[in-house]
Amino acid sequence: NREYCELIKNKLSASGITVIPLYHPYEDTNLKDRVYLANWYHNNVCPGIYISEHSNSTSNHKAQGFQIWTSKGSARSDKYGNILLKLYEEKFEMEEYLIEESPEDDIIKLLADDFEDDEEDHKESFYILYKTKMPAIVLENLFFDNFEDASVLMEKWYKEKYTDLIVEWIKQIV
């Protein structure tokens, strides 16, 4: 995750976009501290958007794909997430996978039409999403506990293509 964040930060900085990393280069920073810093910068330095870059995992190690999570009721986060999802699908020519663990056969199902609000992002009350004072989005960049996704995550071509995509997206929304 940190490698992807550094690539994105460097590309955005080279484009003249200010990026404030809320993570330590090698130690974990707890959620409360990251949210506090984000809100402080947003209120005292300049308004922003909170983007949390991750790779996902599940208990059965079979899920694959890219996911976007936004806070419930945030129209701007939803708008930004939908823009990114469309860019991702165009660039990678794949559909978004949503996780559903089936009790019968323990498989992951593709649930492209299973959205409660006609939006293509997921809604959750993650601390980062509901405690930040600005639009916030959690990106789940493939599944690191799935061999196929993990292999792709380590490929240089994917790192470049994905980070270019995120930079293109951020340029569109700021």
Side-chain angles (χ1 to χ4, degrees):
N1 294 333
R2 287 181 177 97
E3 181 181 2
Y4 277 86
C5 288
E6 283 298 309
L7 288 168
I8 293 165
K9 178 186 76 145
N10 292 339
K11 289 177 180 187
L12 286 170
S13 295
S15 297
I17 296 173
T18 302
V19 178
I20 302 169
L22 302 174
Y23 58 89
H24 189 273
Y26 56 87
E27 291 181 1
D28 286 338
T29 307
N30 71 50
L31 291 174
K32 187 177 179 182
D33 289 345
R34 281 184 271 159
V35 167
Y36 172 81
L37 287 170
N39 289 336
W40 187 89
Y41 280 106
H42 182 72
N43 292 330
N44 298 296
V45 178
C46 67
I49 178 172
Y50 190 105
I51 301 167
S52 186
E53 173 71 33
H54 295 271
S55 290
N56 214 339
S57 68
T58 60
S59 59
N60 67 13
H61 314 298
K62 294 180 183 179
Q64 290 182 280
F66 176 78
Q67 296 178 311
I68 299 170
W69 295 84
T70 63
S71 55
K72 295 176 181 177
S74 175
R76 283 179 46 203
S77 294
D78 292 340
K79 178 182 171 188
Y80 298 158
N82 288 332
I83 291 168
L84 176 57
L85 184 60
K86 285 176 182 51
L87 287 171
Y88 189 93
E89 288 174 341
E90 288 169 11
K91 190 153 211 147
F92 290 100
E93 298 178 3
M94 55 194 301
E95 294 181 289
E96 179 191 24
Y97 288 87
L98 305 180
I99 307 168
E100 180 179 284
E101 296 183 17
S102 171
E104 297 86 39
D105 50 13
D106 201 35
I107 61 170
I108 302 303
K109 296 180 180 177
L110 180 62
L111 301 170
D113 297 321
D114 190 32
F115 300 103
E116 62 186 56
D117 62 358
D118 294 328
E119 307 224 353
E120 296 184 345
D121 54 359
H122 303 292
K123 307 289 186 190
E124 191 54 65
S125 294
F126 294 145
Y127 187 85
I128 286 228
L129 295 176
Y130 75 88
K131 288 290 189 176
T132 50
K133 306 287 186 208
M134 71 285 297
I137 296 176
V138 173
L139 306 179
E140 294 288 0
N141 180 19
L142 306 182
F143 285 75
F144 69 85
D145 66 340
N146 175 290
F147 183 78
E148 290 173 13
D149 274 12
S151 297
V152 171
L153 279 167
M154 292 185 274
E155 292 284 341
K156 183 177 180 172
W157 70 265
Y158 182 80
K159 290 176 189 177
E160 287 299 315
K161 193 171 182 177
Y162 177 82
T163 56
D164 286 346
L165 168 80
I166 298 302
V167 169
E168 178 184 339
W169 168 60
I170 291 171
K171 287 179 177 179
Q172 283 187 28
I173 65 173
V174 294

